[in-house]
Amino acid sequence: MAARTARPGLYISVDIEADGPIPGPYSMISFGAAVAGRQDGASYTAADPEQLTFYRELRPISEEFVPEALAVSGLDRDRLLREGADPAVAMAEFRAWVREVSAGAQPVMCGYPASFDWTFLYWYLIRFGADSPFGHSGCLDMKTLYATKARVPLRAAVKGRMPRALLSRRPHTHHALDDAIEQAELMSNLMLWTPPAPEPVPAGEHSTC
């Protein structure tokens, strides 16, 4: 029986801004997404991350917030309470957008780091609509991708230690769409990067453990 061919993957960089550390007690107040590129087998094609994007500012879902977390985004909570998108509407629009841009491919959310952004994004997708276009595990962490390729511990996978050629020249503004676009460029650079081969260990210095 022939092996089933995997669908191409469409990588979507997502960045979220929140007013606290976890979803539910606290709110996702904005999120942005940008198509980073497409992988078909071993081939990866980078996209222009400004071409296919999505952005929404959301109405908070609770009265709780951490002032320091809210301040990072620079968004006005009172304005969001009046003008922010209804989360159910925004997530329905986002699902439709993901399915449109990923037609014929498997959408994969990617983030830097993915753990925080995926936690909020997946919780909102399920809480407000009970459906995720990424499934329950369709996320990729750029820090892990770099650590694996560079053969460094995860804690060393920080932008300040990465080769400059991997980094986007765009500023990190804490505006969710700006940062999603910036990190889409990092994602493509990582996918296309071939790190230098490790130096060989001299004879006689191999560990016997």
Side-chain angles (χ1 to χ4, degrees), residues 43-195:
S43 176
Y44 180 86
T45 303
D48 176 350
E50 293 185 316
Q51 285 297 106
L52 297 172
T53 63
F54 186 96
Y55 177 72
R56 290 292 184 276
E57 295 178 359
L58 305 176
R59 186 173 67 236
I61 61 173
S62 82
E63 296 182 358
E64 295 184 56
F65 67 96
V66 177
E68 295 81 2
L70 181 64
V72 170
S73 69
L75 294 172
D76 183 277
R77 183 178 170 87
D78 290 335
R79 181 183 66 80
L80 293 176
L81 287 167
R82 297 190 310 268
E83 303 173 7
D86 179 281
V89 173
M91 302 323 289
E93 292 171 341
F94 180 62
R95 284 186 204 91
W97 178 82
V98 170
R99 288 177 172 131
E100 178 183 353
V101 299
S102 64
Q106 177 65 45
V108 178
M109 176 271 189
C110 52
Y112 183 93
S115 53
F116 180 77
D117 301 87
W118 174 255
T119 297
F120 273 89
L121 183 69
Y122 183 72
W123 190 93
Y124 265 72
L125 285 166
I126 299 304
R127 173 63 181 83
F128 299 103
D131 177 41
S132 166
F134 304 103
H136 70 277
S137 62
C139 66
L140 186 149
D141 178 35
M142 295 182 211
K143 287 173 68 70
T144 303
L145 178 60
Y146 174 75
T148 302
K149 280 196 158 191
R151 295 187 176 91
V152 299
L154 186 62
R155 285 190 176 274
V158 295
K159 291 179 181 178
R161 294 187 181 184
M162 291 181 184
R164 298 193 122 211
L166 291 178
L167 303 177
S168 171
R169 295 183 180 180
R170 301 173 189 267
H172 194 79
T173 67
H174 293 290
H175 181 284
L177 182 55
D178 288 349
D179 292 353
I181 291 171
E182 175 217 349
Q183 288 164 185
E185 291 186 340
L186 173 61
M187 175 65 187
S188 289
N189 291 341
L190 285 169
M191 290 293 286
L192 295 169
W193 179 49
T194 301

